[in-house]
């Protein structure tokens, strides 16, 4: 059914729905044809609102990063130290489970040399800022903070990527294993702070 009042924002919302509906591969499989079909318009009609598939993918990534940032802020507000890190890690995993397609979009890094990526760079800086704020309670040396941020992201991302991809087939409890991973992350940050 054709939709009246299609706008750039509306196209982005439709694209987010397409990404969500596609599961872990939803972002990779995003096409203008799929968005147009979902919006009930012909694909060329989208060009009135988006410049290209790349521009739409970039906008979806920005919206997904902002969405994740809001969830991380809610999860960690009023917490500090290991408790905050645990809440952060679980919120990241929960987001990946709830929105596997958007989670894939969150992994897109802005090209610092591309002015079109300025919005994505700003959104990325906000989510990294939340993680950095969570880690502030460990009193890490400033030059090691980026190492800790990368370690947290890599640990959680590695786990959820394997989990969502069906990489854990043994019957042992996945939540327990994730809790162990988070404990190891906390211990690693504490060791980094003490080094």
């Amino acid at each position: 059914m054709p939709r009246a009042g299609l706008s750039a924002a509306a196209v982005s919302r439709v694209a987010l729905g397409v990404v969500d509906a596609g599961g872990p591969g939803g972002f990779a499989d995003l096409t203008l044809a799929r968005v147009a079909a979902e919006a009930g318009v012909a694909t060329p009609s989208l060009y009135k609102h988006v410049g290209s598939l790349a521009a739409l993918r970039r906008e979806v990534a920005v919206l997904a990063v902002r969405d994740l940032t809001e969830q991380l802020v809610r999860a960690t507000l009023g917490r500090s130290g290991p408790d905050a890190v645990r809440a952060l890690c679980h919120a990241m995993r929960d987001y990946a489970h709830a929105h596997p397609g958007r989670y894939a979009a969150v992994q897109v890094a802005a090209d610092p040399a591309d002015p079109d990526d300025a919005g994505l760079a700003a959104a990325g800086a906000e989510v990294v800022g939340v993680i950095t704020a969570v880690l502030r309670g460990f009193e890490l040396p400033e030059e090691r903070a980026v190492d800790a941020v990368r370690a947290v992201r890599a640990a959680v991302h590695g786990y959820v990527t394997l989990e969502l991809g069906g990489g854990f087939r043994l019957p042992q409890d996945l939540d327990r294993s994730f809790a162990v991973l988070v404990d190891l992350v906390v211990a690693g940050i504490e060791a980094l702070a003490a080094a």
Side-chain angles (χ1 to χ4, degrees):
M1 178 172 76
R3 295 187 180 182
L6 201 60
S7 64
V11 170
S12 295
R13 283 194 301 274
V14 172
L16 279 173
V18 169
V19 166
D20 279 340
F27 184 66
D29 295 339
L30 180 67
T31 64
L32 290 175
R34 288 185 179 185
V35 173
E38 186 63 25
V41 300
T43 302
S45 299
L46 295 181
Y47 289 107
K48 297 175 187 170
H49 311 288
V50 297
S52 64
L53 175 60
L56 182 60
R57 291 172 61 83
R58 184 183 303 113
E59 181 60 19
V60 166
V62 169
L63 295 172
V65 170
R66 288 179 181 159
D67 191 27
L68 173 63
T69 301
E70 289 174 10
Q71 296 210 21
L72 297 184
V73 168
R74 278 197 297 273
T76 58
L77 197 62
R79 299 175 186 265
S80 64
D83 183 43
V85 171
R86 289 186 175 92
L88 177 86
C89 292
H90 283 281
M92 292 170 71
R93 181 184 180 214
D94 291 347
Y95 187 82
H97 278 257
H99 304 286
R102 291 186 196 200
Y103 180 74
V106 166
Q107 307 312 316
V108 175
D111 179 352
D114 185 350
D116 290 339
D117 273 2
L120 182 57
E126 289 177 17
V127 74
V128 170
V130 172
I131 299 171
T132 302
V134 164
L135 297 175
R136 198 164 290 131
F138 290 86
E139 299 182 0
L140 289 162
E142 188 174 332
E143 69 275 12
R144 305 308 303 267
V146 68
D147 299 328
V149 169
R150 288 173 174 166
V152 168
R153 289 185 61 207
V156 175
H157 180 65
Y159 191 93
V160 299
T161 299
L162 286 167
E163 187 178 26
L164 293 174
F168 296 135
R169 299 284 180 159
L170 296 177
Q172 284 78 12
D173 185 69
L174 291 172
D175 292 340
R176 188 188 70 191
S177 296
F178 187 73
V180 169
L181 174 70
V182 174
D183 286 344
L184 292 171
V185 168
V186 169
I189 295 167
E190 290 172 338
L192 192 62

